[in-house]
Structure formats: C-alpha cells, structure tokens
Amino acid sequence: MLLEIPLMKPDDYVGFTFFIGFMAMFAASVFFFVERNSVDAKWKMSLLVSALITGIAAVHYYYMRDYYLTHNASPTFFRYVDWILTVPLMCVEFYLLTKLAGAKKSLLWKLILASVWMLIAGYIGESFNPEGGSTTHSVTWGVLSTIGYLYVLHAAWFGEVAQLAAKSESAAVKTGVRTLAWFVLVGWAIYPIGYMCMPGGWLNTSLGWDSTNVDLFYNIADAINKIGFGLVVYSIATSSSKEA
Ligand SMILES: *C/C=C(C)/C=C/C=C(C)/C=C/C1=C(C)CCCC1(C)C
C-alpha cells in the first residue's frame, strides 16, 4: 500500500513560514552563540540568552512544521509551551541590559510575572473557548491578557526599564533599549491580531479570518520578535564593547 505523502501547495504561506521560521531560528541561534566570542565578558550572558530564545523556538518550530505537514493544522499547545519559555527570557534580556545601571531582581520578577499572566490568560482564551467560538470568552481572556502586556509595555517605555536605561552610561544601551521598546509596542502587538482571528474573535466574526491567519500572524511575529530582539541585543553588545 502506498503511503500518502502530504504535499505542500505553492500558495501554502503558513507551511512556508513554518519551514522558513524553523531554519531562521536555527541559524540565528548558531550566530548568537558563536558571536559570544566577539563581545566583552559582560555581554556574553545576554548573547547566550538570545541564542536560547531562538534555540527554544527552533525546536518548537521543528515540531510545528512537522505537525502542520501531516495534519494541515497547528496545535495551540506548542505555541504556548514555546512562549512561556521564551517570553520570560526576553524579560531576562531587559534585566541584563539595565543591570549595569542598577536594575534589581525585583524588576526581573515583575516583568516575568506580567508576561506569564499575559500568556496564561491568552492560553485560556484560545484553548478553552467553547466549540464554535464564543466572543465573550475570547474578549474576556483577551482583555485580561492585555493587562499583562500593558505592564511590560509601560515598563519598557516609561517605567523602571526605561528609567534605568536613561541612567546608563552607555549610549548603546540607551538607544538599544529604546529600540527593544519599539519591538514590544509594534512587534508584540501582532500577536493579539492573530488571537482575534480564532473562532469567536473579532477578526473572525467580522472578516472571516481563521486559524490559517492565526498561524501566519504568529509565525511572522515570532521571527520579527525573537530574531530581531536578539539582533538588537547583539548590536548593543558589539557597539558597547567598542565604547569601552
Ligand atoms: C516569542 C514570542 C513572543 C514575543 C510572544 C508574545 C506574545 C504576546 C505579546 C501575546 C499577547 C496576547 C495579548 C496581548 C492578548 C491576546 C492573547 C495574546 C496571548 C495573544
């Protein structure tokens, strides 16, 4: 009996972004890891965290692209396992960047707590939505999740992270943290757009966008945020290594 091999259609953009996402995350991890050797000792930890973020994502993308290839769908589960590990690590990046300007551990914990809250509420919103999709469920948990998001956004733009970066002696840290704040404002905002495409979500009910769009938005956002974030950290590390 012939095994039926699933084919990728030429216009399968979700499949395309799953495959390219995996390869890009993998390549980025190798890059950040190797580049640890070219920065000052004080930045090695930051680059290692960048490599871990894209590395963890690469492993999940490896599974997600496989699952997608065979089932033409992608479970919410892998997404959130990935995010619950990588988003707190992005908070670690903010902490490491502002540590030299006096950031305390409590800042790290507050950021982690807010981001984990954001993800747990989002997971409930996506995964425990009644069959067919309830708008009330989607909106309620979406709003609860957004509270966590706004906390991180506020910290990066006006709160402790922004204030510490402003106090930093390094021009690279000052401009770099501002760039990361832009990532949180623009790059992270792509996720709620994806969220609203699931059954019951506003973009689902108004425009008919569906799980295909959810995955497309999430894949694009992940590449921008994980690799982009890492590259900004890398550029802070290299230019500050030259400053010294
Ligand atoms: C690498 C993964 C990252 C940076 C994931 C970030 C995820 C978010 C910023 C998700 C945010 C959400 C909301 C603000 C409301 C709706 C539910 C979420 C979880 C999609």
Side-chain angles (χ1 to χ4, degrees), residues 13-29:
Y13 304 113
V14 175
F16 183 80
T17 50
F18 269 127
F19 273 77
I20 212 163
F22 162 66
M23 211 51 240
M25 297 285 184
F26 179 74
S29 307

Side-chain angles (χ1 to χ4, degrees), residues 80 83 86-87 90 118 142 145-146 149 188 191-192 195 222 226:
Y80 279 84
W83 293 353
T86 53
V87 178
M90 294 172 121
M118 167 183 94
S145 167
T146 303
Y149 170 58
W188 288 26
Y191 295 97
Y195 176 90
D222 273 356
K226 292 182 167 66

